[in-house]
Amino acid sequence: MSGMHHPGRRSVLAAGTACAASLGASWLLSGCSGATAAPVLPAAAQRGAPDRGGTLRIARPPASDAETLDPASSLSAYEYLGALYNRLVRIGADGEVAPDLAESWEPDGAARTWTFRLRKGVTFHDGRAFTSADAAYTLRHILDKATASPQAGVLAPLVDPRRLRTPDAHTLVVPLKSPNAEFPSLLTHYNCYVVPEGSGKSIGRTGIGTGPFRLESFAPAGPGRVTAYKDHWAGRPVLDAIAFYSVADMSARSNALLAGQVDLLSQTNLDFATARVVAASDLATIARVKNAQWYVLPMLTTDKPFTDVRVRRAMKLAYDPEHIVKAALQGAGRPGWDNPVPPDDPAHISAHPEHDPEQARYLLRKAGHEDLAVDLYTSAYDPLFTPMALAYQESAKRAGVRIRVKTASADSYYTQIWMKQPLMATYWYTGRPVDQLFNQVFRSGSSYNETAWSDEGFDALLDRARAETDDARRRDLYGEAQTWVIDKGGAMTPMFADRLVGISRKVRGYAEHGFEFDYLGIGLKGA
Amino acid sequence: MLSFTARRIAAALGTLLLSSLLVFLAVQALPGDVATQVLGKDATPQAVAELRGSLGLDRPAVERYGDWMWGALHGDFGTSLVSGTAVGGEVTQYLGNSMLIAALTILFAVTGSLLLGILAGLYRDRWPDHLISTVSLVGMSVPEFVVATVLVLCFSVALPWFPAVVLYGPDATVGQLLPAVWLPALALAVVMAAYIVRMARTSVIDVMASEYVTTARLKGLSTWRVVTRHALPSALLPVLHVIALNVAWLLGGVAVVENVFNYPGIGKLMLSSVQNRDLPVIQAIALISAVVYVVCNLAADLGAMALNPRLRTRGRTR
């Protein structure tokens, strides 16, 4: 920071001019012109090789004042995790499960028992060797009730912590309670980073993992720093260090980037006005993460009128996703057509019913809701919620659906509105493997099932898909699951949005998809 | 004089008690509690229930308020429901950081606005008055976060003279915070000064039109001497109250401005505590704000009395 704020050479007079002309004006203009102006945003980050060394400065929103480095916790400081730890498996750029600490894995014939072969010669930051005992401990730690991990709900129905076996130091055997051909994909979740055996009590502060960086300092909701771990098994990271700063306010975060105080804004999907200011800056630019967020208008299937599948179908046919992408996203994304599986996921099917306001009208009349009027809740939690809600309102008008858009407080949106109001706006990060997506968000009784949709036939289909060991047939079953969700489910998925990430023009090798962030390759040019 | 002071202090204590109760009730009325807010979207219902139990949130509200007041009377403000640290120490640390901004703001606003206000009053209806009056009117009408944002755009982004945000935590040293206090202080001073300028201007105009100033002038004293010896002491009296009220306002304005600058002060602590529904911290800050407000008003009243003999005697004879 000390290097940043030496007085400029321009005169005070120039300050006024520069301010009004270059910044103030573009800032005001983009604020006023709104949806009519075409976005002139760069399609990708700067290319080229980074220089070795340097410190990357990341501004992030703190998870809470009670943040921890324990990856299994719901309060984990997310940005540190991928720098400090590794998982057994991760998601590759092609959407398939890729090796991380596990070099290979295979199921038995019935997909009931999975054997993971672990990488040799891996050491934790304290010098201890990584073995299968650590991998087994990590699973037990996630499943431990005292950890209260959100991922426990996903793994507990499958894994009995007492039956995990470690026949040798580099083999982990996981017997499952029911067959699951997609089990490894569940371990790609960011709660599943591997921690050393017995570290449950201390890991929240020590952050000892096998990752490319080791912890130097960490303060909950405060600044922290990690430095390159030279003995990392995949080689030394490009950077010397990463400094993390907590900046709760989103505009303060983008100001820090514009002023050159930080190099990257994490977990910040910039709104279009800010994105244009950032793209026009000499110091900063925009990187797009394609289809990074999946936006939803969940209808609570346990609340009237959405208990009626005809009403749900009418709500979906009533609006035009292309219109929402144009109006709310200004084109920076793709229409969802109510299919939650991202367009670039290998399991995605492109079949979907067309936008049909007349059919929607007909269905509503049959269901006895000819003049349907419903409240749609939104908030400032995410900059796209309200534009999406308004675009939906506008589009559904043609089918005679009257939407009243209600704005709720952002800070209690996810505790008071989400899963409580019959219709609201929300989003997820994409990058969930298809099995996890369906079982977490659409299966009866799952804690993330935001539409409270419960369909035995659908659950049975998911079970069949999991148990199917033939890859092609399994993919067909997941395709069928998508059709099922589109036809009967409670979730409207109007769009997949590119995430607009603010980064410094010096950053090279920025790569992010889903929950994956390339900490090894990212670096700075001329730092 | 004594009974007046005693009555004012009693009223002040009553105000403090009332404000703590109102804050308590207001936070109860907010949707969600600390358990749901802290654990957030990813929390399991069991985790929320457990946290609620361990924090004692399942006890009746009256009981919790009583406990808190009892502790506060003994100088114990409890522990933060979120960080688990003592509220007293935490609040003091953040308050100290805010004081840095507040002191500078008061310095800027009071000296600057008094000078400008007197100038405008003395040059009534001429161009310095028009300029100063217009600018102060604008300053009054623009919210502090807009002023702050414009300052950031000019002096952090276009010209990198000052940091746009503070990247340090609450335990930052004065030396680390020093480069970052100027813009927030300036933003607050702009908004605060506007009121003082206008009050000072009116006051100076009134006094300059009074008979004793005319007399002093007729005696042949220089304008400079008339202004400094005769006019200003009386002119400043009504301004004192406005300054006191603005210092009290400062605490609220600080909350907004600190957020723009990510400054680790009491305002930012207040905001995150409200977001987290961290009741002990909110109450402690509310109490401090009330104390500041009450003390500022008290000081203005007593100061006015000290400066004005007529008020002093009226208080005695009543």
Side-chain angles (χ1 to χ4, degrees):
Chain A
M1 216 187 93
S2 52
M4 286 330 299
H5 293 289
H6 48 80
R9 267 163 295 181
R10 284 171 286 181
S11 68
V12 180
L13 194 70
T17 327
C19 178
S22 79
L23 239 153
S26 73
W27 181 59
L28 288 173
L29 270 177
S30 54
C32 304
S33 54
T36 50
V40 207
L41 297 173
Q46 313 271 327
R47 305 210 182 276
D51 296 334
R52 206 167 231 333
T55 299
L56 182 77
R57 301 158 303 166
I58 297 182
R60 65 187 188 96
S64 122
D65 288 358
E67 279 184 324
T68 159
L69 293 175
D70 183 348
S73 164
S74 64
L75 299 178
S76 57
Y78 171 71
E79 290 77 11
Y80 287 80
L81 302 182
L84 297 175
Y85 308 101
N86 288 113
R87 283 155 297 176
L88 292 181
V89 285
R90 57 186 185 83
I91 296 273
D94 55 359
E96 304 281 1
V97 178
D100 202 0
L101 284 181
E103 281 179 313
S104 67
W105 48 93
E106 73 272 334
D108 61 357
R112 275 197 95 93
T113 301
W114 281 86
T115 305
F116 293 86
R117 315 250 171 240
L118 308 180
R119 203 175 287 280
K120 288 177 183 141
V122 175
T123 52
F124 284 104
H125 300 151
D126 59 0
R128 277 181 37 200
F130 157 73
T131 68
S132 52
D134 302 302
Y137 175 79
T138 298
L139 280 175
R140 281 191 221 110
H141 175 61
I142 295 169
L143 292 164
D144 186 350
K145 278 210 168 56
T147 312
S149 173
Q151 192 65 359
V154 175
L155 295 178
L158 285 169
V159 180
D160 180 348
R162 285 162 307 182
R163 289 177 57 212
L164 297 173
R165 291 200 311 269
T166 49
D168 64 62
H170 297 284
T171 310
L172 172 71
V173 179
V174 185
L176 302 180
K177 293 178 191 169
S178 57
N180 193 328
E182 297 269 322
F183 173 70
S185 77
L186 301 180
L187 302 180
T188 60
H189 193 271
Y190 65 83
N191 282 140
C192 298
Y193 283 102
V194 172
V195 299
E197 188 178 12
S199 66
K201 290 260 187 298
S202 60
I203 194 72
R205 283 169 285 109
T206 61
I208 291 174
T210 59
F213 291 88
R214 63 197 300 173
L215 188 70
E216 191 178 298
S217 63
F218 169 69
R225 191 181 167 87
V226 296
T227 50
Y229 179 48
K230 295 191 175 56
D231 299 328
H232 183 60
W233 53 270
R236 210 205 100 115
V238 172
L239 292 165
D240 282 340
I242 302 178
F244 294 100
Y245 302 107
S246 314
V247 182
D249 187 71
M250 194 175 125
S251 55
R253 241 176 284 147
S254 39
N255 285 345
L257 178 72
L258 288 170
Q261 283 182 280
V262 298
D263 303 309
L264 195 148
L265 308 182
S266 90
Q267 290 190 70
T268 311
N269 182 21
L270 294 177
D271 60 81
F272 294 107
T274 312
R276 261 182 243 128
V277 175
V278 170
S281 157
D282 292 341
L283 292 175
T285 183
I286 296 291
R288 283 198 205 192
V289 185
K290 271 225 155 314
N291 301 333
Q293 337 224 111
W294 127 53
Y295 282 81
V296 197
L297 297 168
M299 300 177 273
L300 261 191
T301 58
T302 48
D303 267 44
K304 281 192 170 144
F306 305 126
T307 43
D308 191 330
V309 67
R310 288 172 299 187
V311 176
R312 302 203 292 264
R313 199 170 291 160
M315 291 286 285
K316 292 176 189 171
L317 291 171
Y319 80 102
D320 181 6
E322 308 263 12
H323 170 73
I324 298 207
V325 168
K326 219 181 292 167
L329 284 183
Q330 305 194 3
R334 291 174 67 170
W337 294 106
D338 302 320
N339 183 356
V341 176
D344 41 13
D345 191 292
H348 174 85
I349 58 153
S350 50
H352 57 79
E354 287 297 314
H355 166 57
D356 190 346
E358 284 316 309
Q359 177 68 10
R361 227 181 249 277
Y362 169 76
L363 283 171
L364 286 177
R365 207 178 315 129
K366 261 185 49 182
H369 286 286
E370 206 155 344
D371 286 304
L372 186 63
V374 284
D375 294 339
L376 168 56
Y377 280 83
T378 173
S379 82
Y381 187 93
D382 179 279
L384 292 180
F385 282 178
T386 303
M388 169 170 65
L390 292 173
Y392 181 85
Q393 177 192 46
E394 166 81 29
S395 188
K397 213 187 276 169
R398 282 180 57 203
V401 178
R402 273 186 301 137
I403 298 289
R404 292 175 298 242
V405 175
K406 303 224 160 165
T407 307
S409 145
D411 69 347
S412 56
Y413 193 67
Y414 276 100
T415 52
Q416 301 302 308
I417 304 290
W418 187 62
M419 293 179 75
K420 293 198 168 63
Q421 290 298 338
L423 182 63
M424 39 81 66
T426 185
Y427 76 101
W428 298 83
Y429 279 14
T430 54
R432 261 162 252 265
V434 65
D435 174 77
Q436 187 180 348
L437 188 158
F438 280 128
N439 282 284
Q440 245 180 357
V441 188
F442 295 93
R443 193 190 189 90
S444 311
S446 156
S447 60
Y448 286 103
N449 185 338
E450 56 186 356
T451 59
W453 187 44
S454 175
D455 189 316
E456 280 174 22
F458 181 73
D459 295 349
L461 174 65
L462 292 184
D463 285 337
R464 266 200 296 149
R466 283 186 150 183
E468 177 60 66
T469 48
D470 182 280
D471 286 352
R473 264 183 292 167
R474 189 165 68 249
R475 198 150 283 183
D476 285 346
L477 290 172
Y478 285 122
E480 220 175 288
Q482 290 167 61
T483 315
W484 207 302
V485 165
I486 295 169
D487 284 349
K488 299 185 182 168
M492 290 189 272
T493 307
M495 61 195 192
F496 290 91
D498 296 351
R499 191 181 308 142
L500 304 178
V501 180
I503 59 171
S504 154
R505 287 187 186 269
K506 288 187 298 188
V507 172
R508 297 289 183 282
Y510 164 80
E512 191 174 11
H513 60 276
F515 297 98
E516 307 291 337
F517 184 101
D518 183 4
Y519 287 94
L520 264 178
I522 194 167
L524 299 162
K525 185 86 190 165
Chain B
M1 174 77 184
L2 258 180
S3 76
F4 174 77
T5 313
R7 262 186 291 128
R8 288 289 284 104
I9 289 173
L13 290 176
T15 313
L16 290 182
L17 191 68
L18 200 65
S19 55
S20 81
L21 185 65
L22 286 176
V23 166
F24 185 85
L25 292 176
V27 175
Q28 296 298 317
L30 284 174
D33 61 10
V34 66
T36 55
Q37 288 302 122
V38 167
L39 295 179
K41 186 181 173 179
D42 282 349
T44 57
Q46 301 97 294
V48 171
E50 259 167 48
L51 184 61
R52 200 171 274 157
S54 72
L55 293 174
L57 291 176
D58 39 6
R59 293 188 306 145
V62 184
E63 214 175 284
R64 280 182 286 137
Y65 176 70
D67 272 7
W68 183 82
M69 277 309 289
W70 185 247
L73 286 175
H74 295 79
D76 171 17
F77 289 90
T79 51
S80 158
L81 298 181
V82 178
S83 65
T85 53
V87 170
E90 195 178 5
V91 168
T92 315
Q93 193 178 36
Y94 283 90
L95 190 65
N97 295 342
S98 285
M99 283 305 166
L100 215 58
I101 294 187
L104 260 184
T105 306
I106 293 170
L107 191 76
F108 285 170
V110 172
T111 53
S113 56
L114 278 182
L115 278 175
L116 289 172
I118 292 165
L119 209 66
L122 292 178
Y123 286 91
R124 185 187 182 180
D125 289 336
R126 277 185 277 165
W127 71 263
D129 179 30
H130 289 310
L131 184 73
I132 292 166
S133 294
T134 312
V135 168
S136 66
L137 203 65
V138 171
M140 226 184 254
S141 345
V142 179
E144 53 269 30
F145 73 88
V146 175
V147 178
T149 307
V150 170
L151 287 178
V152 167
L153 288 177
C154 290
F155 299 111
S156 305
V157 176
L159 286 176
W161 291 354
F162 297 100
V165 298
V166 180
L167 296 174
Y168 301 102
D171 49 358
T173 61
V174 173
Q176 286 170 328
L177 289 178
L178 213 56
V181 296
W182 304 96
L183 291 186
L186 197 59
L188 287 167
V190 164
V191 179
M192 181 169 156
Y195 294 89
I196 307 174
V197 167
R198 293 188 74 78
M199 194 65 210
R201 173 184 176 270
T202 317
S203 183
V204 165
I205 288 172
D206 283 354
V207 170
M208 290 306 283
S210 66
E211 285 165 15
Y212 72 90
V213 170
T214 318
T215 315
R217 274 193 169 152
L218 287 176
K219 277 200 297 190
L221 294 178
S222 70
T223 309
W224 172 247
R225 208 170 154 71
V226 171
V227 170
T228 52
R229 294 285 298 165
H230 296 264
L232 278 190
S234 324
L236 286 185
L237 202 60
V239 180
L240 257 177
H241 245 106
V242 177
I243 293 178
L245 279 177
N246 271 290
V247 169
W249 164 84
L250 193 60
L251 234 76
V254 150
V256 176
V257 166
E258 282 182 354
N259 213 42
V260 175
F261 291 96
N262 199 46
Y263 187 88
I266 198 84
K268 203 163 154 276
L269 179 66
M270 181 72 173
L271 209 81
S272 71
S273 309
V274 169
Q275 269 163 9
N276 289 326
R277 314 285 187 257
D278 194 347
L279 205 55
V281 180
I282 302 173
Q283 279 170 308
I285 298 175
L287 212 60
I288 290 170
S289 319
V291 167
V292 171
Y293 203 86
V294 161
V295 166
C296 284
N297 273 298
L298 200 63
D301 282 356
L302 299 180
M305 211 164 14
L307 279 174
N308 187 340
R310 269 179 303 172
L311 263 179
R312 208 156 54 207
T313 44
R314 205 185 295 153
R316 201 183 295 149
T317 48
R318 195 183 285 162

